Amino acid sequence: MSEALLVARELAKRHRAACALGGVSLSIGAEESLAIVGESGCGKSTLLRCLAGLERPDTGSVVFEGVVVWRLRGEQRKRFCRGVQLVLQDAARALNPWWNGLALVREPMDLLRSDLSRQERDVVARRWLERVGLPASVTERLPGELSGGQRQRLLLARAMTLEPAVLLLDEPLAGLDPPIQRDILDLLQELRRDRPLATVLVTHSLGAAAHCAERIAVMRSGVIVELQSMDSFFSGPQHLYSQEILAGWQARQANFVPGPPIKSGGPTH
Amino acid sequence: MRECAWRLPAAVTLLSWYMLLAGLAWMAPYSWREQHRDFPAAPPTRIRMVDPAGEWRMPFVCKMVPSSDSVGSYGEDCRVRYPVSLLQPAGDGRMVLFRAESPGLLFLFGTDDLGRDVFSRSLAGGTVTFATGLLATMVALLLAILGGCLAGLLGGWPDLMISRGAELLMALPVLYVLLALRAALPIQTPPAVAFALAVGLISILGWARPARLLRGVVMSTRNEGYVMAARGFGAGPIYLLRKHIFPRLRGVLGAQAAILIPEFMLVEVALSFLGLGVAEPVPSWGTMLSSVQYDLVADRRWWLGFPAVLLTLSILLSGQVARTLELQLQPVAVAPEES
Amino acid sequence: MWVHFLLTRLLQAAVTLGLLSFFCFALFDWIPGDFLTDAEASPAVSSATLEGLRDRYGLDSPLGTRYARWLDGLSRGDLGPSLSYQTDAMALLLPRLGATVLLNLVALVVALLVALPLATFAAQRPDSWLAQGAGRGMQASLAIPEIVLVLLILAMAQAYGLPLPGGAAARAETGWLGGLPSLAVGLVAPVLALSVGIAPTYFRHMRAAWSEALAESYVLAARQAGLPPKVVRWRYLFPAAANPLISLLGNSLGSTLSASLLVETVTGWPGLGPLLLEAVFSRDTYVVVGAVMFAASAQMAGNLAADLAIRRIDPRIRS
């Protein structure tokens, strides 16, 4: 593993009475890909928001390039925002429903790339829309007029316009049909191939994690119970909980073999 | 759908109604303070088109003759005719809506005790009442924006203070508190001060409801994913307010304005009706109606009720517009659509 | 659980009233002049008399002292002196509060008696001529401002010789029971004016709530199952429609009280309104504060009663 870009030290946070994070330490190296799995409510989203500097942990710290994230102000904060981007859960809500595609993709640059002129920003925005595989007509459309997969691509394009070093993805596959999920994961792989990019993918699906991450962290009740390379996780998980979810996943894989789509009128099993 | 079709006409009608009132007040046949001492309590002047000989003529009015036996009863002497003309320049350089050729007098809605033209005073009074409602609405909405945004954005103790303050205000009967506050302030004041006091008091008591509404919208918007996302792009509170939150407030503000203007106009009318708003000789629909109380039936001077008709019409129109605007400006929900 | 709720609400009400009264005192203190300012101008009143009066009413003591003294009196049921009537403000205000509450209650009951049956009928048979006519009529009377309504009723009362409460109240002083008939007659005009203003709001809300309840699937199921209409009406529809109705009752009390102030003043009903107005003009500080306190308490009591009733009726809110 190369030098650490983004480091979390002993993050703890409580939401009212409930413990959301109970001392999580994590380091993400350049160009690394990490997947965080766990059931809903285990603190995955809170962890990502803390990493992105959107929530402040009660104790512990997040360090980016040697500086504690919550202390950042002004130019340094801008630098951090350009370096670490979070793609939020629930694409339908993460896009302002009254803005068209172009304005949405341009928004990060409007805020963080004041060095570019309006025309340049437009050009970059269009290039990224094309890069994530969206038709040019999306620039004029409102989020409500896009499909779920298109909205997810839009979110990716939006984050990528800043050319971040770390991309944090919070359940990017939720609510999407399996083929679309596959497309999104493939797109993510392509983006990583294009440029140096570290990704942290939060998901509850082991399949997605295996598809596009080298390391895996298993979270339960606000703590990371296991942090492994993907290969050793699949060959022999250490923690009891990890064994449980792996066994559950394998059982599902055995029962439902994803095949070609069933044609209507054909036999069902 | 039917509501949608009527939306634009309703708003335009309302706007033109108030513009008409203000414009007509400017073009009123007489000044609101001009007293025709020889003609107190005169009934509406009849505009005739047939002269005593039975011949058709251009519209004219007859000479008004005060009867000698009692004050307030008049006869007509139609041997002397004064033609009525529309849109004539008056002596003071104004363009006047209509007038009888001098020295003829044309009181479209009669005169009051002091011989002042009820029609002209109604128009001027409407302008005062509407201006109070409009200004009070603007001030109240400004206060509401300030309070709602502070409470919604900051949360914590500012939110607690503002929300509790608003709830406190809403738990009180408005007119009673208004009177109590007004009692503490000087009663006899020049009209301009009384006007400012009315605007101030109404807006201070009226900001609570819109502020709570706005706070709700700000709060729900603040928790939206796209605001969180913008914060992830390093957006500060000013940017969030300007780009994401204010556009959401616009609809609420429009609907609230449409609701508050007639409401505040009625409060002004009540206040000046009770003698605590702008006072004589400056007219407001409230002050004009307060004199009606005693004269309307006892002396059969029904024409003094004219401001009540105008007031009812205004409130009716405003109510229609408020309803349609409320329907129109409800935030559009994005259809959740999955591929 | 509901004891806790009740206590919280009572505490909130007490805080509200405390803030309101203190604010009134502070404002009266801040603005120059008091009840005796007018007396000063008159040469008939000697400066010694003035000083005596000031001393007696403590008008010269600082704000804090006066407010503390007022609070102290309040705990003993004393609202301070009425300066212009030379008597206890409490003695002056209590009968007036009674009259205002009586007028509001009677008007509310009359309005509900007219609006509710009409509304349920209109919801059940929206196409009948009665429903259409009632809808139109209610909409029209909703648009008429209260003040115009009162003037209209006043004009009609004068035209048709309906006795107004001013005279009735004078006759009522002969004794409570003896005055009852004249009191009832005196109520007619103000109740009419007030309830015509209230009824349309209840009509509209009740019609909406009732037709919404009619469309609920559990109501449809009950009717499908062949339950008698009476049972459906009282066991299914009424509870569903009662909740919005009661919250409306609680919420609209304030505007009803404000409207009642106008009605009382114009028709001469001896309620809080005319007294407050008189006190405002004569700067009778303690009476003003007392009247506002009473009106605010009346509204908050009504609100609280409505909330308690909703918690009783609607099981969803209790948790």
Side-chain angles (χ1 to χ4, degrees), chain B residues 9 26-28 40 51 70 75 78 86 106 127 133 137 177-178 191 198 205-207 214 233-234 273 279 281 305 339:
Chain B
W26 172 245
M27 294 165 68
D51 71 3
S70 71
C78 281
L86 292 175
L106 171 47
T127 313
T137 302
V177 179
L178 193 67
L205 291 179
W207 65 271
L214 292 182
F233 305 136
F273 181 85
S339 58

Side-chain angles (χ1 to χ4, degrees), chain A:
Chain A
M1 188 169 80
S2 58
E3 49 159 335
L5 258 178
L6 188 62
V7 181
R9 291 198 198 112
E10 289 297 324
L11 292 182
K13 187 170 175 71
R14 305 178 76 83
H15 277 309
R16 294 203 181 88
C19 177
L21 285 181
V24 173
S25 297
L26 198 65
S27 87
I28 295 141
E31 298 184 45
E32 190 202 358
S33 63
L34 172 73
I36 302 177
V37 297
E39 59 200 13
S40 44
C42 71
K44 295 173 296 184
S45 292
T46 310
L47 174 61
L48 271 204
R49 286 182 188 176
C50 285
L51 287 177
L54 287 176
E55 270 185 48
R56 178 179 203 157
D58 297 338
T59 59
S61 58
V62 177
V63 177
F64 176 67
E65 292 181 337
V67 196
V68 175
V69 166
W70 260 99
R71 301 229 182 88
L72 296 180
R73 288 287 173 270
E75 279 308 309
Q76 272 189 311
R77 170 139 180 93
K78 281 191 176 179
R79 240 180 84 77
F80 167 73
C81 287
R82 284 179 61 176
V84 179
Q85 267 303 308
L86 170 63
V87 173
L88 281 163
Q89 196 174 6
D90 194 357
R93 293 190 58 208
L95 298 168
N96 190 330
W98 288 276
W99 288 19
N100 66 23
L102 187 64
L104 284 168
V105 176
R106 212 182 48 222
E107 189 186 18
M109 288 187 287
D110 291 342
L111 277 158
L112 294 170
R113 296 295 303 270
S114 36
D115 52 318
L116 296 182
S117 74
R118 167 81 187 249
Q119 279 77 21
E120 286 169 320
R121 278 178 267 163
D122 272 351
V123 169
V124 176
R126 283 177 203 280
R127 202 171 62 222
W128 274 105
L129 279 174
E130 196 192 332
R131 177 68 197 81
V132 299
L134 285 172
S137 61
V138 166
T139 51
E140 301 297 326
R141 299 242 196 100
L142 299 181
E145 299 163 339
L146 302 177
S147 71
Q150 284 176 319
R151 280 199 288 258
Q152 197 60 54
R153 286 171 194 271
L154 197 65
L155 276 188
L156 278 175
R158 203 156 123 91
M160 290 309 294
T161 53
L162 296 172
E163 302 181 4
V166 183
L167 191 62
L168 309 169
L169 299 126
D170 194 356
E171 298 276 10
L173 308 177
L176 298 180
D177 293 339
I180 312 279
Q181 291 188 4
R182 181 92 41 83
D183 291 347
I184 297 286
L185 289 178
D186 289 343
L187 174 63
L188 209 54
Q189 296 291 77
E190 282 172 35
L191 292 176
R192 286 182 39 131
R193 224 172 289 137
D194 286 353
R195 68 193 62 248
L197 176 68
T199 55
V200 177
L201 173 74
V202 159
T203 177
H204 57 261
S205 137
L206 274 184
H211 188 80
C212 64
E214 299 146 6
R215 278 205 306 163
I216 183 166
V218 182
M219 270 188 90
R220 190 186 194 188
S221 316
V223 286
I224 292 182
V225 296
E226 181 156 1
L227 182 58
Q228 287 258 26
S229 77
M230 195 60 78
D231 295 338
S232 48
F233 175 82
F234 274 96
S235 54
Q238 305 289 310
H239 195 272
L240 199 65
Y241 179 63
S242 313
Q243 291 163 9
E244 242 173 65
I245 59 172
L246 184 58
W249 181 71
Q250 279 162 345
R252 274 199 302 277
Q253 292 290 305
N255 285 339
F256 305 101
V257 181
I262 300 155
K263 290 195 176 64
S264 61
T268 52
H269 46 234

Side-chain angles (χ1 to χ4, degrees), chain B residues 1-10 324 327-328:
Chain B
M1 278 295 105
R2 219 178 84 225
E3 298 277 6
C4 276
W6 285 102
R7 178 176 77 214
L8 194 66
T324 42
L327 283 178
Q328 173 204 0

Side-chain angles (χ1 to χ4, degrees), chain C residues 153-171 179-193 263 266-270:
Chain C
I153 301 271
L154 184 77
M156 277 161 62
Q158 286 173 344
Y160 299 110
L162 194 68
L164 286 166
R171 266 172 277 133
L180 211 53
S182 55
L183 187 74
V185 172
L187 259 176
V188 173
V191 162
L192 205 59
V263 171
V266 174
T267 59
W269 178 255

Side-chain angles (χ1 to χ4, degrees), chain B residues 289-302:
Chain B
L289 287 179
S290 76
S291 63
V292 170
Q293 275 186 81
Y294 313 104
D295 300 335
L296 192 63
V297 175
D299 300 335
R300 305 218 167 263
R301 276 189 247 150
W302 50 269

